[in-house]
Amino acid sequence: MKKVLFASVIFALLITSCGKDKKAETKTTAEPVVEQAAKEVKEVKSDAAVAQDQVAMGEKLFTSKTCASCHAIDTKLVGPSVKDIVKKYEETNGNIVAFLKEKSPAIVDTDPGQVAIMKGNLDGFVKDLTGDELQAIAAYMRSKK
Ligand code: HEC
């Protein structure tokens, strides 16, 4: 009889301790879910910050990849000003990235000599830039309109 009692006490202890473990488990699996939700809220909030980062990256590339040596913001240097380029692309619903990928022809300055200068860049180093980098450059240019 004592043995049975002892066994049932052990059994009861086992059950309660299992129960405790389960509770602890549900807590730990719930935590990442909450953390994930908080992270998502943060991500939604920072959409504007992401766009800002893209423009900042584009600005850096525009200088470091020598675009700035031929393109000023307001005035024509060797190539048209950034403002003139963006204006033309907006008026015609053009795609700057497509031009940089050589998937659409020049529309701002179609003088063959001028087009050849820019084409030299496209064939030379612009083709080595990633899609993200080209998007960033275009976003920076559009931010200067
Ligand atoms: C050596 C001078 C030079 C450099 C460097 C240069 N460009 Fe140009 N770019 C030109 C000239 C000249 C034109 C005018 C011909 C034309 O429109 O294609 C032009 C035109 C453009 C156009 C307008 C294309 C159109 O539709 O007519 C864009 C956009 C452009 N450049 C972007 C860039 C970017 C981005 C860079 C840097 C990755 C860059 N350029 C570097 C000389 C240059």
Side-chain angles (χ1 to χ4, degrees), residues 58-79:
E59 182 168 17
K60 260 193 208 147
L61 288 166
F62 201 80
T63 312
S64 66
K65 299 293 173 186
T66 72
C67 318
S69 61
C70 290
H71 297 284
I73 302 300
D74 290 301
T75 52
K76 182 178 189 297
L77 295 179
V78 180

Side-chain angles (χ1 to χ4, degrees), residues 62 65-67 69-71 78-80 85 89 96 99-100 105-110 114-115 117-118 121 125-126 129 137 141:
F62 201 80
K65 299 293 173 186
T66 72
C67 318
S69 61
C70 290
H71 297 284
V78 180
I85 292 174
Y89 272 83
I96 293 177
F99 168 77
L100 295 173
I107 54 171
V108 180
D109 186 344
T110 52
Q114 289 289 90
V115 170
I117 295 176
M118 187 57 205
N121 297 318
F125 65 91
V126 177
L129 299 178
I137 288 175
M141 292 176 81

Side-chain angles (χ1 to χ4, degrees), residues 13 91 98 103 117 124:
L13 276 176
E91 279 167 7
K103 285 184 179 154
I117 295 176

